[in-house]
Amino acid sequence: MNSLVFLLIWAPVVSQVLCEYGMVHITSDKSGGSAKDYCILFNSEWAHLPHDLTKAALLHLHDQTTSVLCSIADVPEGGFSNSIPMVMRGNCTFYEKVRLAQINGARGLLIVSQDRLVPPGGNRSQYEEIDIPVALLSYSDMMDIRKTFGQSVKVAMYAPNEPVVDYNMVIIFVMAVGTVAIGGYWAGSRDVKKTYMKHKRDDGADKTQDNEIVDVTPIMICVFVVMCCSMLVLLFNFYDHLVYIIIGIFCLAASIGLYSCLSPFVRRIPCGKCRIPDNNLPYFRNRPHVWKILLASFCVAVSVTWGVFRNEDQWAWILQDILGIAFCLYMLKTIRLPTFKACTLLLFVLFVYDVFFVFITPFLTKNGESVMVEVAAGPSDSSSQEKLPMVLKVPRLNSSPLALCDRPFSLLGFGDILVPGLLVAYCHRFDIQIQSSRIYFLACTVAYGIGLLVTFVALAFMQRGQPALLYLVPCTLLTSLAVALWRKELPMFWTGSGFVKDLPNPNLVLAPSGLDVCLGQHNETNENDPNQDGYTAAGQEQADLDKATVEPLEEQLCLDTEKTPGKPEEDLSHGSENLPETQLSPNEDSTIFDNSKKLLDQNVE
C-alpha cells in the first residue's frame, strides 16, 4: 500500500522534463576581483554539471544577448572557442541553440529568459547528440551581472548537492515548541485563574481581556474549515489580488497580539501609571493609562515597520517571526477548546484538510502543483512576488542551489502551531483541575516536539513540502488519549467535566468568612459602578473612598479573627478542609459579619 501511494505521488513528476537547480559562479577577469553565485536551471540529460566548484572549468563569458542564436548569422566571427556564450531565449528550440553553440566551439550555453524559468527540454536522440551543458538564467540576474562585473567576466557552472538537513530547522523547532509550550501554559493558567479567583479585585481592563475567551463549538469548527478551504482556493486563483489584504490583516492582528503579550510586563514598570487629562476624544475620553498608549504606539510601529520593509530578506524575517509568535500566543489564550471531544474534532478535520491540499490537489490542478505549497511559498509566476506572512520563516544557513533559486527560507505555518497548541492548553487546564503534576501538559508538549522532528525527517527524505499536521495530529492526540487511558480518567478527560463553565473544584474554594462576604459585596458594588476606573473626577473620589473604607475594614477583621477564643493560629488557614466544624459555626461567622457591616457603614458615612 505504501509503495502504491509513493508511485501515485511521484508519477506526474517522472513524466515531466528532468529539472535541476544549479549555480553559475561569476568572477571578474581582474585579479582579486569579487565573485558571486547566481541561480541557473538546467537539464542533466543534456550534460551533467560537476558537484564541486573546484572541479568546474572557469571559462570566459561571451555576451551575445543581442541575438537569440537561432541561425549561423548569429554566430560571431571566430565562433565561441573555449568560452560560454550567453544568448537570449526565443525564436527557436533549445536544441537548435545548443547545437549551434557546440558546433562553434562553445563549452557550455547560458540562455537568458525574461519569463519564468523552465527546464531546457529535448528528445532522446537530441540528448545523445549534445555533450555540453545548457542552463537558463533569469533576465534580472543577467542585468545584475552586467552592473556588478561589467563585460569582462569568467564563469563556472556547477550543481552542489543539497544538504540533507539545514541547521535552520533547529531554530524553527525551538520557536515552534517554545510557542506551543508557553502559549498552552499561559492559556491554561489564565483560564483557571479567571474561574477560581473571581473574589480577587482585578483591574477593569484585565477583566475585559479575560472576557475575550471564545469557546469553540462543533458548528464553529465546521464553519472555520469551510472558510479555510474557500480562502485557500481563492488565494490559489487570485493570489496577486488577495495577498495585500492578508498582509494588512496580519499587521493589525500581529500588533494586537504583541500588545497582549507585552502588557503584563509593561504594567509592572513604575513609570507611566498616570492617566491622560479629561478630554472629549472618542477613545481618550475614558482617560486610559499613559503606559497603554505608549505600548499600543510601539506595537503599531513595529507592525508598520515590518509592513513597509517586509521584502528585506536580510532582517525583515526577524520582525515577522516576532509578530507571528505574538499572534500565536494571543490566539492560544483567546480561543479555548472546552472538551477533548472538541479537540479531536478540530484536529481530525484539519488533518484531512492539510493532507488533501498538499497531496491530493496536485492531481486536480492543471500544472500539477500542490495548492497548499503554492500558496504558502507564493506562486512562482506571481506578478507581485509577495509572500504570505502567516508563517514562521528562517533563512537557510547552508549554501545550496535550492536556497539560492527556489526556497531561500524554511517555513512553518501558524496552523501547525495553533492547532496542536489548543490541545496543549486544554491539557494544562485539565491538569490544574485534577491537581496532577502537569502530566497531560508535559506529555502533549513532548509529543508535539516529536511530531515536529518526524516532519523534518520526512521533509529531508522526500525533499518536498510536507503537511506538518499529518505527523503532529497523531502524535499529540494519541499521546493525550494514552495518558488518559493509563490514568483511567478518559470519561472526564473526554467531556472536560469539572471545569467547563463555572463549576469550581471544592478543594480549591476559599472558606467563607465575614471578610470574604463583605469584600465580595463591596467589589460587586464597585464592578457595577461606571466610574470604577477613575475616568472622571467623581469616579476618582469614589475610588479613594473605597480604598479608605476597605483598608481599615480588612485590618479590623484580621484583628477580630486573631482574637477569636479557642482558635489556634495554625487552624486559621484559608482551606476549608483544614478548619474544624466548630470554627465555622453560624453564630461566630454572623458576629464577624455584623461587625464588618457596622464598620463599613461608619466608613462610608
Side-chain angles (χ1 to χ4, degrees):
M1 185 65 182
N2 292 336
S3 301
L4 178 60
V5 174
F6 181 83
L7 290 175
L8 288 175
I9 293 173
W10 286 97
V13 179
V14 174
S15 62
Q16 296 175 359
V17 176
L18 189 59
C19 167
E20 296 183 38
Y21 289 112
M23 296 181 178
V24 55
H25 183 76
I26 307 292
T27 182
S28 176
D29 271 344
K30 300 177 181 179
S31 59
S34 59
K36 187 176 180 180
D37 287 340
Y38 294 90
C39 170
I40 56 174
L41 192 66
F42 75 100
N43 183 353
S44 59
E45 292 189 87
W46 294 106
H48 290 279
L49 291 178
H51 296 303
D52 195 345
L53 178 60
T54 59
K55 297 180 180 180
L58 190 62
L59 304 170
H60 177 71
L61 179 65
H62 202 298
D63 192 346
Q64 284 289 114
T65 51
T66 55
S67 69
V68 291
L69 196 60
C70 287
S71 65
I72 195 65
D74 295 329
V75 179
E77 186 177 352
F80 307 111
S81 179
N82 204 34
S83 64
I84 296 179
M86 182 169 62
V87 301
M88 295 300 295
R89 178 185 174 187
N91 294 2
C92 58
T93 64
F94 292 117
Y95 169 72
E96 293 174 297
K97 294 178 185 295
V98 69
R99 181 174 177 275
L100 274 174
Q102 179 174 288
I103 292 174
N104 288 274
R107 298 277 300 276
L109 178 64
L110 279 176
I111 303 175
V112 178
S113 175
Q114 292 181 308
D115 301 323
R116 178 183 179 184
L117 296 184
V118 296
N123 57 46
R124 180 63 58 185
S125 60
Q126 293 172 348
Y127 292 150
E128 295 175 353
E129 185 180 344
I130 303 300
D131 57 5
I132 64 172
V134 54
L136 263 70
L137 179 73
S138 70
Y139 182 80
S140 59
D141 286 343
M142 184 269 292
M143 296 300 294
D144 188 72
I145 291 172
R146 284 184 177 178
K147 180 180 178 181
T148 306
F149 299 96
Q151 295 292 330
S152 181
V153 296
K154 289 184 178 180
V155 300
M157 293 192 292
Y158 68 112
N161 292 321
E162 290 289 339
V164 177
V165 178
D166 197 290
Y167 296 111
N168 65 353
M169 294 296 184
V170 177
I171 302 176
I172 290 182
F173 179 84
V174 172
M175 289 195 301
V177 176
T179 302
V180 167
I182 295 173
Y185 188 88
W186 188 10
S189 301
R190 177 177 177 271
D191 186 50
V192 171
K193 179 181 178 181
K194 174 180 177 291
T195 304
Y196 297 117
M197 300 296 183
K198 286 185 176 180
H199 66 286
K200 296 285 186 180
R201 296 189 63 189
D202 296 327
D203 184 75
D206 293 332
K207 289 187 176 183
T208 302
Q209 292 179 2
D210 286 341
N211 292 331
E212 291 177 357
I213 294 177
V214 178
D215 284 327
V216 178
T217 64
I219 296 178
M220 294 172 62
I221 293 174
C222 296
V223 172
F224 172 73
V225 173
V226 171
M227 291 177 60
C228 287
C229 295
S230 303
M231 179 57 67
L232 198 60
V233 173
L234 288 174
L235 281 169
F236 184 74
N237 292 283
F238 308 102
Y239 185 87
D240 291 327
H241 299 85
L242 297 176
V243 65
Y244 294 105
I245 298 177
I246 302 298
I247 291 174
I249 294 174
F250 173 76
C251 289
L252 177 61
S255 58
I256 295 174
L258 188 62
Y259 178 90
S260 176
C261 293
L262 294 180
S263 58
F265 303 98
V266 176
R267 66 179 300 173
R268 288 176 169 80
I269 300 176
C271 58
K273 296 295 185 181
C274 58
R275 300 178 182 271
I276 65 172
D278 290 329
N279 59 84
N280 294 321
L281 297 177
Y283 172 76
F284 297 100
R285 70 178 59 178
N286 293 330
R287 300 184 60 214
H289 290 93
V290 173
W291 70 265
K292 294 183 179 181
I293 299 176
L294 295 177
L295 180 59
S297 302
F298 171 77
C299 295
V300 172
V302 173
S303 185
V304 170
T305 301
W306 173 85
V308 174
F309 299 100
R310 62 186 179 277
N311 293 320
E312 294 289 337
D313 288 342
Q314 293 184 348
W315 57 269
W317 64 272
I318 300 177
L319 279 184
Q320 179 172 327
D321 288 348
I322 293 174
L323 293 172
I325 291 174
F327 170 77
C328 290
L329 292 175
Y330 173 72
M331 295 301 293
L332 286 176
K333 75 171 188 173
T334 302
I335 300 175
R336 178 175 64 180
L337 294 173
T339 65
F340 185 66
K341 178 171 61 176
C343 295
T344 303
L345 177 62
L346 177 66
L347 268 67
F348 176 75
V349 172
L350 291 180
F351 169 86
V352 175
Y353 158 85
D354 215 17
V355 171
F356 174 81
F357 280 102
V358 173
F359 286 144
I360 307 301
T361 52
F363 301 102
L364 306 177
T365 55
K366 294 180 180 179
N367 55 2
E369 297 288 346
S370 165
V371 172
M372 182 75 75
V373 174
E374 279 287 292
V375 171
S380 55
D381 58 349
S382 170
S383 59
S384 64
Q385 295 299 311
E386 293 284 355
K387 307 295 182 184
L388 287 180
M390 313 301 287
V391 293
L392 296 182
K393 56 189 294 189
V394 178
R396 294 180 180 269
L397 304 179
N398 294 327
S399 177
S400 68
L402 189 61
L404 184 64
C405 301
D406 185 45
R407 294 191 291 273
F409 292 91
S410 294
L411 310 176
L412 183 68
F414 289 170
D416 302 326
I417 298 174
L418 289 175
V419 176
L422 293 173
L423 176 59
V424 172
Y426 173 82
C427 290
H428 187 219
R429 291 199 306 273
F430 189 78
D431 275 325
I432 296 177
Q433 164 62 23
I434 65 174
Q435 301 183 40
S436 72
S437 56
R438 304 294 191 270
I439 185 170
Y440 285 93
F441 170 74
L442 293 175
C444 196
T445 303
V446 171
Y448 175 81
I450 294 174
L452 202 58
L453 289 177
V454 174
T455 305
F456 293 161
V457 172
L459 182 65
F461 277 101
M462 301 185 69
Q463 289 297 314
R464 62 179 300 178
Q466 296 294 309
L469 292 182
L470 174 64
Y471 312 100
L472 296 175
V473 168
C475 285
T476 53
L477 271 183
L478 294 179
T479 301
S480 303
L481 184 63
V483 173
L485 288 172
W486 173 58
R487 293 173 59 88
K488 299 179 181 180
E489 297 168 344
L490 182 58
M492 185 166 59
F493 186 64
W494 178 258
T495 59
S497 301
F499 66 88
V500 177
K501 301 300 179 185
D502 296 327
L503 298 175
N505 191 323
N507 292 332
L508 297 180
V509 176
L510 297 180
S513 66
L515 176 60
D516 290 335
V517 174
C518 267
L519 291 183
Q521 293 178 352
H522 183 71
N523 289 341
E524 185 176 351
T525 304
N526 285 342
E527 288 174 4
N528 296 327
D529 186 358
N531 297 326
Q532 61 173 327
D533 288 329
Y535 294 140
T536 62
Q540 186 63 43
E541 293 176 1
Q542 180 64 33
D544 295 339
L545 178 59
D546 291 346
K547 183 177 180 181
T549 302
V550 172
E551 288 181 351
L553 170 63
E554 186 174 356
E555 293 177 2
Q556 181 63 38
L557 289 177
C558 291
L559 292 175
D560 290 343
T561 304
E562 292 176 358
K563 294 177 180 179
T564 303
K567 295 183 177 62
E569 183 178 354
E570 60 271 12
D571 291 337
L572 295 176
S573 61
H574 285 287
S576 60
E577 68 275 11
N578 295 327
L579 290 175
E581 294 182 359
T582 56
Q583 293 176 344
L584 295 176
S585 63
N587 294 333
E588 294 177 359
D589 192 63
S590 175
T591 302
I592 297 176
F593 176 71
D594 292 340
N595 294 337
S596 306
K597 188 173 183 300
K598 292 178 181 179
L599 181 59
L600 178 62
D601 293 338
Q602 293 174 0
N603 285 325
V604 171
E605 293 174 358

